[in-house]
Amino acid sequence: MRKPHITPYGSWKSPITTDMLVSETIRVNEIALDGQNVYWIEGRPSEGGRNAIVKRNVDGSQVDVLPLPLNARTMVHEYGGGDYAVSQDTVFFANFSDQRLYRLQPGAEPEPITPPERKRYADMVVDQQRQRLICVCEDHTHSDHDPANTLVSVPLDGSGKLCTLVAGNDFYSTPRLSPDGSKLCWLTWNHPNMPWDGCELWVGSIDANGYVSYAEHVAGGESESIFQPQWSPDGVLYFVSDRSGWWNIYRLNADGTIEPMHEMQAEFGSPQWVFGMSTYGFASAQTIICRYTEGQDKLASLDTRTKKFTPIPVPYTVISDVQVTPEHVFFIGASPSEFRSVVALDLQSRQTTVLKRSSTLALDPGIITEPQLIEFPTENGQTAYGYYYPPRNAAYEAPEGELPPLQIWSHGGPTSQSVAVLDLSKLYWTSRGFAILDVNYGGSTGYGRAYRERLKGQWGIVDIDDCVNGALYLANQGLVDKERLTIRGGSAGGYTTLGALTFRDVFKAGASFFGVSDIIGLAEHTHKFESRYTFGLVGPYPECADLYRERSPLNHVEQLSCPMILFQGLDDKIVTPDQSQKMVEALRARKIPVAYIEFEGEGHGFRRADSIKRAQEAELYFYAKVFGFELAEQVEPVEIENLHS
């Protein structure tokens, strides 16, 4: 074997290039079933980031359903999800460019079935009995800042009028028809709640004219979160609730009582950031196949009669988009050694088959780093969690005595979760000599409601403390260089990044992707779905305006002294571009080293190949200049203002 090259951390030559990130990787999600056919969405950076719908036929062949340039992506709540539905070989989808619903029948051209109005649609269910779709409608006719949300019906052929079925509350999701078509269930909530704070489950009867004639609130409330109501094949309503402090599965009995199916300290649900999420399904009226999170994601069967709970071993530690038939379970699966993939599990043989990988790259095992789940002490005697990725590249070693630079990854949300999967964007860094700690700070999901609520009123404190303490924990263990601690994050993770650089003196550099610099600006200008989110994270606004100002990094740039790079999409409606622009102006005025890159045509999260490539290379270039190491490859330079001031 060749001896490893002795080269400083950060200067290792890696086989993982930015071209691989954009040309060899797709996003896979939103599995749908129609008879024996399986569908899913592929997000393709090489096609401008569009969502293509792919169909897998019974014979195993795969075909694109949507011709270019159609893009199955709704913008309801800005985050979308629930972009399409399939029934009897016909696909119904929301098209990104005009937000209209389309019908696509085999061998025919796509036809719009909603008029060219300022309305958006999501979370569709097909009502074949009445030849209509039932879905969420977000009406921007009178206001973009405060659109009206309702449940509506849409004729399948587009020949009739849209009818409002349920209205009056701020938000709706998950309309689902009972098997006989006589009942409709749905979730609803009002400001200032987010659906994971508390929402209500309602059930209504459908009359002879197709309207909801009687509706009853059956579960949930302001402090109980309901997730994924679903009818069993024999017409019994099941749902996930966190009434015990953990998202567990429950059943609504005929007498109106609610019965837990299997109580345990594990999460069977997830925060409803997007529509159409699914963590369980029915193989039969007697058998539920469910995903649950207990440190990592697992799969199990649950007998609805005996309540026997039987784990199903699978080689995946992250599982989502669960869809079930009597013979198979389909899901998106991933692990530290497996890219996100569309997976089929045979319920008889318990064998798994990969239908589509998000990347087909055959990676050199010498660059794959095994994430380590760590627990570390944080403020008030609490424990926080994270996944530690040590640098690894078998072709290189650092000079004796050198410790690697560390990147703290702060996830968005902040009500979200970091998971350990094979990820080219992480290998890009670790194979060049960086260590990563992906932090699940207080407020993250996967650890029960109490852990999630650590961030209640404490955004900008608990998340920052946990990221700081995670970095110091690794430094004190002698694993990383205390003088080269960095932090990066997007959206809410960008806010944590900006706050950690402003209010703490631990990190030496950072990267903010469409991060929040001014919480008041966020509260006043963000979209409807999140317009009261800060009420729970910080406090009511404007009553707590002083607190908002106190926790906004933009108002305290005099405390900043370390270099920063910021990235921003100019079409972002969630964290508007002025959040980054004002921060850059303040840093310039303070003569602090700063780099800033804007992307035309990008929104909240970068989807286009050129944007992803540019951002990744620019961040690497930035650290090389700040920490003074040589890059192993040439990348497009970035202007760093005040670098030598």
Side-chain angles (χ1 to χ4, degrees):
M1 290 182 63
R2 294 182 61 180
K3 281 190 173 183
H5 300 287
I6 307 300
T7 308
Y9 289 115
S11 297
W12 297 353
K13 185 172 180 58
S14 170
I16 305 297
T17 66
T18 52
D19 286 328
M20 288 182 181
L21 299 186
V22 297
S23 63
E24 303 288 347
T25 304
I26 58 173
R27 299 183 310 276
V28 288
N29 58 13
E30 286 199 53
I31 298 172
L33 306 179
D34 181 42
Q36 296 298 308
N37 297 321
V38 185
Y39 295 76
W40 61 82
I41 280 181
E42 294 183 5
R44 298 171 177 169
S46 61
E47 295 179 7
R50 83 169 184 121
N51 283 353
I53 299 176
V54 176
K55 174 185 178 182
R56 184 182 188 271
N57 297 304
V58 179
D59 62 7
S61 61
Q62 297 179 17
V63 295
D64 274 14
V65 172
L66 295 189
L68 282 164
L70 293 172
N71 182 354
R73 181 183 168 200
T74 178
M75 294 304 292
V76 177
H77 292 181
E78 299 299 329
Y79 293 107
D83 302 294
Y84 75 110
V86 189
S87 179
Q88 298 180 5
D89 291 327
T90 300
V91 177
F92 302 92
F93 67 96
N95 185 46
F96 178 66
S97 62
D98 58 11
Q99 290 298 293
R100 297 171 73 181
L101 288 180
Y102 285 72
R103 177 185 62 183
L104 179 56
Q105 295 178 305
E109 291 295 314
E111 298 176 290
I113 60 172
T114 55
E117 301 172 320
R118 298 185 64 231
K119 294 179 180 179
R120 305 172 181 179
Y121 308 90
D123 216 0
M124 295 151 263
V125 60
V126 181
D127 182 0
Q128 284 287 357
Q129 183 178 328
R130 301 172 183 87
Q131 286 294 289
R132 63 182 183 173
L133 294 175
I134 297 175
C135 59
V136 175
C137 176
E138 188 176 81
D139 187 348
H140 290 249
T141 303
H142 303 294
S143 172
D144 274 329
H145 184 68
D146 192 26
N149 292 67
T150 57
L151 295 181
V152 302
S153 65
V154 179
L156 295 184
D157 60 3
S159 61
K161 289 184 177 181
L162 276 66
C163 294
T164 299
L165 301 180
V166 183
N169 286 348
D170 291 325
F171 301 101
Y172 295 92
S173 78
T174 331
R176 298 294 182 262
L177 272 174
S178 61
D180 64 1
S182 67
K183 293 180 180 179
L184 180 74
C185 70
W186 65 88
L187 297 178
T188 183
W189 64 98
N190 288 303
H191 287 312
N193 266 5
M194 301 299 284
W196 50 83
D197 296 322
C199 57
E200 297 177 348
L201 172 59
W202 285 69
V203 176
S205 298
I206 299 181
D207 65 21
N209 296 315
Y211 289 96
V212 177
S213 61
Y214 173 78
E216 181 182 10
H217 170 214
V218 298
E222 290 188 3
S223 58
E224 179 186 358
S225 175
I226 307 294
F227 174 85
Q228 195 191 338
Q230 186 163 331
W231 301 92
S232 67
D234 57 350
V236 178
L237 183 59
Y238 291 75
F239 58 92
V240 175
S241 166
D242 70 351
R243 58 177 56 194
S244 69
W246 297 83
W247 270 313
N248 286 184
I249 298 177
Y250 292 81
R251 174 170 61 201
L252 178 67
N253 293 319
D255 61 2
T257 58
I258 293 173
E259 181 181 1
M261 298 306 298
H262 182 72
E263 293 183 293
M264 64 185 296
Q265 291 190 353
E267 299 280 51
F268 289 75
S270 299
Q272 193 182 175
W273 276 106
V274 296
F275 294 99
M277 300 175 72
S278 177
T279 61
Y280 72 96
F282 292 89
S284 68
Q286 292 77 41
T287 305
I288 295 173
I289 307 296
C290 51
R291 181 229 75 183
Y292 63 105
T293 304
E294 197 177 38
Q296 62 186 33
D297 289 353
K298 302 174 183 178
L299 209 61
S301 66
L302 175 59
D303 191 305
T304 61
R305 297 164 300 183
T306 65
K307 299 186 181 179
K308 183 180 179 182
F309 186 80
T310 308
I312 302 174
V314 291
Y316 300 95
T317 55
V318 176
I319 297 169
S320 64
D321 294 84
V322 177
Q323 300 291 337
V324 185
T325 71
E327 296 83 23
H328 292 91
V329 184
F330 300 92
F331 59 89
I332 305 298
S335 75
S337 59
E338 178 66 75
F339 291 112
R340 291 183 188 272
S341 304
V342 181
V343 180
L345 168 70
D346 188 302
L347 286 172
Q348 187 68 34
S349 68
R350 300 296 172 96
Q351 296 297 308
T352 57
T353 302
V354 173
L355 306 185
K356 187 63 176 282
R357 284 184 169 85
S358 60
S359 178
T360 57
L361 282 173
L363 297 176
D364 178 355
I367 66 164
I368 297 178
T369 183
E370 185 74 21
Q372 303 165 20
L373 176 60
I374 65 168
E375 301 179 6
F376 55 89
T378 189
E379 304 304 305
N380 302 314
Q382 304 271 23
T383 297
Y385 307 91
Y387 290 100
Y388 171 57
Y389 298 78
R392 185 167 188 233
N393 187 327
Y396 292 90
E397 286 183 1
E400 187 175 354
E402 184 185 0
L403 292 172
L406 172 70
Q407 286 186 336
I408 290 289
W409 285 35
S410 173
H411 67 68
T415 309
S416 185
Q417 181 184 15
S418 295
V419 295
V421 298
L422 187 60
D423 182 350
L424 286 179
S425 63
K426 285 191 174 75
L427 293 181
Y428 179 89
W429 296 102
T430 56
S431 62
R432 284 171 168 79
F434 283 79
I436 293 174
L437 178 61
D438 203 355
V439 179
N440 274 318
Y441 49 77
S444 302
T445 54
Y447 303 91
R449 185 169 184 123
Y451 193 84
R452 199 164 78 234
E453 290 189 340
R454 280 192 195 178
L455 210 57
K456 195 171 185 178
Q458 299 296 305
W459 193 36
I461 298 175
V462 166
D463 49 325
I464 293 175
D465 284 340
D466 290 356
C467 287
V468 165
N469 287 324
L472 292 176
Y473 174 81
L474 293 178
N476 292 335
Q477 296 285 316
L479 296 173
V480 299
D481 186 351
K482 194 171 184 177
E483 298 305 314
R484 292 191 291 176
L485 303 178
T486 72
I487 183 169
R488 72 194 298 271
S491 190
Y495 167 71
T496 301
T497 294
L498 295 172
L501 296 172
T502 303
F503 301 120
R504 305 289 192 276
D505 189 22
V506 171
F507 297 104
K508 307 305 179 185
S512 169
F513 294 77
F514 37 91
V516 178
S517 65
D518 175 19
I519 314 176
I520 287 180
L522 180 70
E524 290 181 343
H525 301 299
T526 196
H527 59 128
K528 178 183 177 181
F529 179 58
E530 292 184 89
S531 61
R532 307 292 190 277
Y533 189 17
T534 56
F535 285 29
L537 295 172
V538 181
Y541 181 79
E543 295 88 336
C544 295
D546 288 345
L547 194 57
Y548 280 55
R549 281 188 282 270
E550 179 184 321
R551 295 197 199 162
S552 294
L554 183 63
N555 298 326
H556 303 278
V557 290
E558 73 281 354
Q559 299 180 36
L560 255 171
S561 60
C562 67
M564 190 183 306
I565 186 168
L566 299 93
F567 302 90
Q568 180 69 48
L570 293 180
D571 288 350
D572 197 333
K573 302 296 191 297
I574 296 169
V575 177
T576 51
D578 63 305
Q579 291 276 348
S580 293
Q581 293 162 351
K582 289 177 181 178
M583 194 71 188
V584 171
E585 291 169 7
L587 292 166
R588 284 172 177 155
R590 287 267 301 149
K591 302 296 183 184
I592 294 170
V594 60
Y596 178 52
I597 299 177
E598 294 180 333
F599 296 100
E600 293 274 0
E602 291 284 14
H604 199 66
F606 306 149
R607 292 171 175 262
R608 297 178 178 176
D610 55 345
S611 305
I612 296 168
K613 181 182 171 74
R614 176 59 171 151
Q616 194 87 351
E617 291 181 350
E619 188 180 358
L620 177 63
Y621 179 91
F622 175 77
Y623 293 138
K625 292 301 180 184
V626 168
F627 293 129
F629 59 82
E630 295 293 327
L631 293 178
E633 67 266 84
Q634 284 192 334
V635 299
E636 183 182 348
V638 179
E639 181 185 0
I640 307 175
E641 302 177 49
N642 308 317
L643 181 60
H644 303 295
S645 63

